[in-house]
C-alpha cells in the first residue's frame, strides 16, 4: 500500500519554503501607502493549495505514466509558448515582453513555467534512451533540439532570465548523464567567446585555451573546425548583438558593472536592493517593518526582489535560514536522483534540481549585484501563480520518483 506522502523530508522542506515565501509576500504588501500588492498573498495561498493538490495527484500515478505523457506535455508546452508570441503580454520588470498568455487583457498564466518541467521530462527521455553518454557534439543534436526550440521562442518574447534557466537545465542534465567536462566546456565555448570579445586581450587568451582544449579532447575534425569558426563568429558579431539588445537590457548590463552610472533608472533597482539588505544587519528590522519596502523605495518587492525584503526584515539570520532550506532541498533531490530506479527518473530529478538551483543562484546574485538583473523569480518565495503551481507539480514528480526509487541509477550517482 502506498504511503500518502512518499518522501517526507522533500515535502516538509518544500512546504517550509512555501510558507516562508507566503509570509514574505504578505510582508511585501505592507507599505505605508497601500497598493494592490497588499492582497496578492491571498492568491499565492490559493495557488499553493492548487499546486499541492496537483503534486498529490501526480505522486499517486507512476513514473512510467509520467514518461508516457512526456511527449504530449512537451508539445503542448511548445504550442502555449508559441501562442505567447501572438497574444502574450508582459508585467512588472518584464512589461515589454510577451511572457504571459493574455485573453482580453487578462493575464492567465506564464507557459514558460510549465515548459521548464516538460523540457526536463523530454530531455530525460532523450538522454535515457541512449546506451552510453554522448561523446561528441554530433551526439548532442537531439538534446540540443529539445531545449533549443522552447529556448528560441522564449528569447523571442524576449525573456532572458527564463532563457538562462533553460541553459542551466541543459548543461546540468548533460553533466548528470555522464557527458565529459571537456565536451561541456567546448559546447559552451561560443558563449564564453561572446562574453570575452569585449576585451581583445582576454578573448585572445581564451582562444589559446580553446585550442589547447581541442587538442586535449580530440573531437572529430569537422567538430573542431565548427567550434573554432563558432568562437570566431561570436567574437565578431558581439558588437552587432549588443546593438540589437533593447535599451533596458543594455542598461541592465551597464549598471551591473557600475550601478551609480544610472542611479535614477537602470541602477535604481540594485541600489535600493543593496541598501535594503545592508540595513537588515544581523537580526533584521522586523517582520513587515522594513523601511525601504514600507516607503516603496524597493521595486518589485513581491516578485524579483523579494530576497531583498527578506534580508531587510529578517537580517542575516533569516537569509541563512532560507538558503539553508534551499540547500537541504537540493541535497535531498540529489539523493533521490542517486537512488532512482532508472536513468529517466534519475535525470528528471537532477534536471528539476538544476532548474531551481539556477533560479536561486541568479535571483540572489542579482539582488546583491553579483549578477546582472534578468528578472528571474525566487522559487517558492516570489509571487506568481504559474511558478508556484509548476514548482509543486515538480515536487509531485519527485515524490513519485522517490517512492519508486530503491536501487542505483544507471548514470552518475556519486
Amino acid at each position: 500500500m502506498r504511503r500518502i506522502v512518499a518522501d517526507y523530508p522533500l515535502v516538509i522542506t518544500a512546504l517550509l519554503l512555501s510558507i516562508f515565501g507566503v509570509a514574505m509576500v504578505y510582508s511585501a504588501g505592507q507599505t505605508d501607502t497601500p497598493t494592490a500588492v497588499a492582497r496578492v498573498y491571498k492568491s499565492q495561498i490559493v495557488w499553493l493549495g492548487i499546486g499541492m493538490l496537483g503534486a498529490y495527484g501526480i505522486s499517486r500515478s507512476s513514473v512510467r505514466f509520467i514518461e508516457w505523457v512526456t511527449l504530449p506535455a512537451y508539445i503542448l508546452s511548445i504550442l502555449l509558448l508559441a501562442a505567447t508570441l501572438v497574444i502574450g503580454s508582459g508585467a512588472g520588470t518584464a512589461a515589454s515582453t510577451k511572457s504571459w498568455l493574455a485573453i482580453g487583457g487578462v493575464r492567465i498564466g506564464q507557459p514558460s513555467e510549465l515548459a521548464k518541467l516538460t523540457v526536463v521530462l523530454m530531455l530525460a527521455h532523450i538522454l535515457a534512451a541512449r546506451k552510453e553518454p554522448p561523446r561528441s557534439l554530433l551526439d548532442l543534436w537531439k538534446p540540443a533540439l529539445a531545449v533549443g526550440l522552447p529556448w528560441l521562442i522564449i528569447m523571442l518574447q524576449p525573456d532572458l532570465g527564463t532563457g538562462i534557466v533553460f541553459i542551466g537545465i541543459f548543461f546540468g542534465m548533460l553533466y548528470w548523464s555522464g557527458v565529459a567536462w571537456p565536451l561541456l566546456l567546448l559546447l559552451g565555448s561560443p558563449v564564453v567567446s561572446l562574453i570575452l570579445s569585449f576585451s581583445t586581450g582576454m578573448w585572445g587568451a581564451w582562444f589559446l585555451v580553446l585550442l589547447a582544449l581541442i587538442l586535449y579532447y580530440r573531437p572529430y575534425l569537422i567538430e573542431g573546425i565548427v567550434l573554432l569558426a563558432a568562437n570566431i563568429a561570436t567574437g565578431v558579431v558581439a558588437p552587432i548583438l549588443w546593438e540589437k539588445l533593447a535599451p533596458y537590457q543594455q542598461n541592465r548590463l551597464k549598471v551591473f558593472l557600475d550601478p551609480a552610472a544610472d542611479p535614477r533608472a537602470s541602477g535604481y533597482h540594485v541600489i535600493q536592493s543593496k541598501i535594503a539588505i545592508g540595513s537588515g544587519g544581523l537580526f533584521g528590522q522586523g517582520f513587515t517593518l522594513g523601511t525601504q519596502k514600507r516607503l516603496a523605495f524597493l521595486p518589485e518587492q513581491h516578485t524579483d526582489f523579494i530576497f531583498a525584503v527578506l534580508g531587510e526584515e529578517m537580517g542575516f539570520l533569516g537569509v541563512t535560514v532560507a538558503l539553508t532550506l534551499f540547500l537541504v532541498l537540493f541535497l535531498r533531490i540529489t539523493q533521490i536522483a542517486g537512488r532512482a530506479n532508472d536513468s529517466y527518473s534519475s535525470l528528471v530529478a537532477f534536471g528539476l534540481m538544476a532548474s531551481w538551483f539556477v533560479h536561486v543562484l541568479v535571483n540572489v546574485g542579482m539582488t546583491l549585484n553579483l549578477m546582472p538583473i534578468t528578472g528571474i523569480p525566487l522559487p517558492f518565495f516570489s509571487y506568481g501563480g504559474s511558478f508556484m503551481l509548476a514548482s509543486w507539480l515538480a515536487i509531485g514528480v519527485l515524490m513519485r520518483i522517490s517512492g519508486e526509487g530503491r536501487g542505483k541509477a544507471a548514470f552518475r550517482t556519486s
Side-chain angles (χ1 to χ4, degrees):
M1 182 177 177
R2 293 179 180 177
R3 293 185 298 175
I4 295 177
V5 177
D7 192 317
Y8 281 104
L10 171 72
V11 174
I12 290 174
T13 306
L15 188 57
L16 287 175
L17 281 168
S18 299
I19 294 173
F20 201 173
V22 169
M24 296 316 302
V25 170
Y26 168 79
S27 176
Q30 307 310 303
T31 53
D32 288 355
T33 303
T35 65
V37 177
R39 299 185 296 274
V40 297
Y41 77 94
K42 297 178 181 177
S43 299
Q44 191 77 337
I45 293 174
V46 171
W47 280 111
L48 172 59
I50 295 173
M52 292 181 68
L53 287 175
Y56 176 75
I58 291 177
S59 72
R60 308 304 290 176
S61 64
S62 68
V63 173
R64 293 286 70 82
F65 176 77
I66 295 171
E67 187 171 11
W68 183 71
V69 301
T70 289
L71 181 59
Y74 175 79
I75 294 174
L76 175 62
S77 65
I78 295 296
L79 293 175
L80 291 175
L81 280 176
T84 61
L85 300 181
V86 181
I87 57 173
S89 69
T93 55
S96 60
T97 71
K98 295 182 177 180
S99 301
W100 279 264
L101 274 180
I103 298 179
V106 178
R107 290 186 284 115
I108 58 177
Q110 198 169 7
S112 59
E113 301 302 343
L114 175 64
K116 291 170 190 170
L117 176 59
T118 61
V119 164
V120 167
L121 297 177
M122 191 66 197
L123 198 52
H125 180 72
I126 292 172
L127 292 172
R130 297 182 58 86
K131 294 182 179 178
E132 295 183 350
R135 300 191 183 283
S136 70
L137 294 177
L138 291 176
D139 289 339
L140 295 175
W141 75 268
K142 283 185 179 178
L145 181 63
V147 178
L149 181 58
W151 179 84
L152 181 62
I153 298 174
I154 286 168
M155 296 308 292
L156 290 174
Q157 289 177 346
D159 185 350
L160 178 61
T162 303
I164 291 174
V165 175
F166 276 72
I167 298 297
I169 291 172
F170 181 59
F171 277 89
M173 293 184 69
L174 288 183
Y175 166 76
W176 195 249
S177 72
V179 174
W181 69 266
L183 183 58
L184 291 176
L185 191 54
L186 288 173
L187 185 63
S189 63
V191 178
V192 179
S193 280
L194 182 69
I195 296 172
L196 298 182
S197 62
F198 295 97
S199 169
T200 305
M202 294 181 68
W203 186 85
W206 163 248
F207 202 79
L208 293 176
V209 173
L210 177 65
L211 287 173
L213 192 61
I214 290 176
L215 292 174
Y216 169 76
Y217 191 70
R218 296 180 181 276
Y220 293 124
L221 177 61
I222 185 65
E223 291 181 340
I225 295 174
V226 170
L227 280 170
L228 291 175
N231 277 268
I232 294 173
T234 51
V236 172
V237 303
I240 301 174
L241 292 177
W242 172 258
E243 295 299 327
K244 293 291 184 182
L245 289 177
Y248 79 93
Q249 291 173 320
Q250 291 183 352
N251 290 334
R252 283 180 175 181
L253 292 174
K254 290 177 181 176
V255 299
F256 166 60
L257 300 175
D258 181 16
D262 191 9
R264 295 182 179 273
S266 299
Y268 181 81
H269 293 64
V270 70
I271 290 174
Q272 298 304 323
S273 174
K274 290 172 66 176
I275 292 174
I277 294 174
S279 63
L282 182 59
F283 300 105
Q285 299 184 17
F287 185 59
T288 75
L289 300 178
T291 51
Q292 286 292 109
K293 179 214 66 182
R294 294 204 69 91
L295 297 174
F297 288 129
L298 191 62
E300 305 301 331
Q301 70 271 28
H302 62 305
T303 54
D304 298 343
F305 286 89
I306 197 164
F307 187 79
V309 178
L310 172 64
E312 182 180 33
E313 300 188 343
M314 300 293 179
F316 178 76
L317 291 180
V319 167
T320 301
V321 170
L323 294 181
T324 300
L325 286 173
F326 277 118
L327 178 61
V328 171
L329 181 70
F330 297 155
L331 291 176
R332 183 60 189 171
I333 297 175
T334 304
Q335 285 183 333
I336 293 172
R339 64 180 183 83
N341 270 345
D342 53 61
S343 301
Y344 172 79
S345 304
S346 180
L347 284 162
V348 168
F350 196 81
L352 293 174
M353 192 279 290
S355 171
W356 285 326
F357 177 78
V358 174
H359 268 279
V360 174
L361 181 69
V362 176
N363 181 275
V364 174
M366 75 178 190
T367 56
L368 296 172
N369 197 36
L370 298 176
M371 290 189 177
I373 296 175
T374 54
I376 191 169
L378 189 64
F380 303 104
F381 273 76
S382 295
Y383 170 71
S386 304
F387 195 24
M388 181 63 83
L389 175 62
S391 295
W392 271 94
L393 293 180
I395 291 293
V397 173
L398 291 168
M399 288 168 62
R400 187 65 261 136
I401 293 173
S402 178
E404 295 185 14
R406 297 183 183 84
K408 182 177 291 186
F411 286 132
R412 192 190 309 272
T413 58
S414 61

